Amino acid sequence: MKKYALMLAVALLAAPASAVVNITAVDIDGTGPGLVAQISYACTASEKVAAFALDIQVDGGAVITAVGGYKVGVSTAASKGYGIFPANFDRYITVNAQGGVDDWGVAGYNPVAEAGDKGALGGIGTSGITVEMGALYKGDANAPGPAGNLLTVEVDKACNLTVTTNAIRGNVVLEGATEATVGLAAATNVPISGAVECFPPSHPKYADWVAVGKPECWCLTTQCHGDVDGLKEGSAKLGYWRVHNRDLNVLLAAWNVREPATGTTPSGPGITTVTYTDGLGSVAGACADFARDVEGSAKLGYWRVHNNDLNILITSWNIKEPATGTTPSGPGLPRDCTPGTINVTP
């Protein structure tokens, strides 16, 4: 283990190199009361990253309350990652007589450098932390991958988060003891609001989703087949359907509502103004835009809910869901609509 510690020390005295390591920060859903960002890396060259020394800061009076999601200990094929924390190694880890470590899971052992460490930021409970993360492994099969997650950072309120390298603590170092070129554009002033969208910007229909008001129903696994709400209708006697009367009623409410237009093109209030309400609650009219497209022409005007959507509903009409016992059964709707981030109600 002394040999390993020496390797990390050498890595922190690196010379410049040309390999690019991109750092990203992404707003994600957290399981606790705070807002959470995922910090990740991706190396564009064949060299492996040996260690990271990063500063993570937030603005707007926000405070970093916790870190998580980080690897602890030696990287293995079954659990790869950067689990050696140089800033805290001597404080928490005991090296046995054989030069190994018996227990990496010591309470308090984490990547965050203490405020009193040279060049370190204030730490947990302040607006900035410094993290140090290195990798130890035996054999290439156990090495961390060229891209992966480093850790999550939890903050107490909405803010912008920025990651920079920490030169005093070593920046980002490759295994050849050379310093990487680091890309930080995707980790600079990243909004952390907790409002994670169910429809990813990379989806080819993202612009359409935004145009119709970002309805969550578009994220259902069955919406593109005529299901506006993810609910079933029917009974044990008759069987159950995903596409039935309520879905038809939402389509009728949105039928032939023209989109706003200019010039001589017939205009209307647009699909975002339509909401269908019944005893089960409210459904956005855009949920009936099953084809996720615009139909019409400059002469007639344009509609989000029209013939293509009606045809989809007709195709799925009365397809029964799988059932057991004496309840009438059927194949059920396919659950393959993208992005499919929201599952239907059983």
Side-chain angles (χ1 to χ4, degrees):
M1 186 54 64
K2 291 180 180 179
K3 177 183 176 182
Y4 290 154
L6 177 60
M7 290 168 60
L8 286 173
V10 170
L12 297 177
L13 298 174
S18 59
V20 176
V21 178
N22 292 313
I23 305 295
T24 59
V26 178
D27 187 356
I28 64 172
D29 279 318
T31 57
L35 311 178
V36 181
Q38 176 75 63
I39 312 300
S40 305
Y41 74 95
C43 187
T44 63
S46 59
E47 297 97 328
K48 297 181 178 68
V49 177
F52 298 84
L54 305 172
D55 287 341
I56 303 170
Q57 295 175 281
V58 293
D59 65 7
V63 168
I64 297 173
T65 57
V67 295
Y70 48 84
K71 159 75 179 172
V72 178
V74 175
S75 180
T76 65
S79 179
K80 296 184 177 184
Y82 293 86
I84 310 301
F85 313 134
N88 288 316
F89 186 91
D90 288 340
R91 293 189 179 103
Y92 294 97
I93 300 302
T94 299
V95 179
N96 61 33
Q98 290 72 42
V101 173
D102 297 319
D103 183 12
W104 289 103
V106 179
Y109 184 55
N110 65 64
V112 181
E114 293 190 359
D117 292 344
K118 185 177 180 180
L121 298 178
I124 300 298
T126 74
S127 63
I129 61 174
T130 297
V131 297
E132 291 184 8
M133 308 179 74
L136 295 178
Y137 62 93
K138 183 177 181 180
D140 287 344
N142 297 309
N149 297 327
L150 291 174
L151 76 164
T152 58
V153 177
E154 184 174 306
V155 297
D156 66 341
K157 65 178 183 178
C159 62
N160 293 313
L161 180 146
T162 296
V163 181
T164 56
T165 56
N166 186 310
I168 294 177
R169 307 296 297 181
N171 291 327
V172 177
V173 181
L174 303 175
E175 285 194 346
T178 54
E179 183 179 322
T181 299
V182 181
L184 295 167
T188 301
N189 289 324
V190 177
I192 307 300
S193 66
V196 179
E197 296 179 338
C198 67
F199 211 94
S202 59
H203 194 284
K205 290 291 184 177
Y206 181 77
D208 290 273
W209 184 65
V210 173
V212 298
K214 298 185 177 182
E216 285 196 354
C217 57
W218 277 35
C219 300
L220 286 166
T221 56
T222 52
Q223 186 269 342
C224 68
H225 296 295
D227 183 7
V228 300
D229 55 11
L231 303 177
K232 292 189 297 187
E233 297 179 61
S235 65
K237 180 178 180 180
L238 298 174
Y240 295 93
W241 307 275
R242 292 281 176 197
V243 177
H244 207 57
N245 291 334
R246 194 173 195 232
D247 309 284
L248 175 61
N249 289 338
V250 175
L251 181 138
L252 292 175
W255 183 257
N256 269 359
V257 175
R258 286 186 173 89
E259 292 300 292
T262 58
T264 59
T265 300
S267 183
I271 195 65
T272 58
T273 66
V274 179
T275 301
Y276 172 81
T277 302
D278 61 11
L280 295 176
S282 297
V283 180
C287 294
D289 183 6
F290 308 126
R292 304 174 181 181
D293 63 2
V294 177
E295 298 178 67
S297 66
K299 181 180 179 179
L300 299 175
Y302 296 94
W303 306 275
R304 295 289 324 195
V305 176
H306 207 57
N307 292 333
N308 291 342
D309 309 290
L310 176 60
N311 289 336
I312 289 173
L313 184 137
I314 291 172
T315 299
S316 299
W317 185 259
N318 271 357
I319 293 177
K320 288 186 172 69
E321 290 294 291
T324 58
T326 59
T327 299
S329 183
L333 279 189
R335 299 187 185 186
D336 56 3
C337 300
T338 60
T341 52
I342 298 179
N343 291 317
V344 297
T345 302

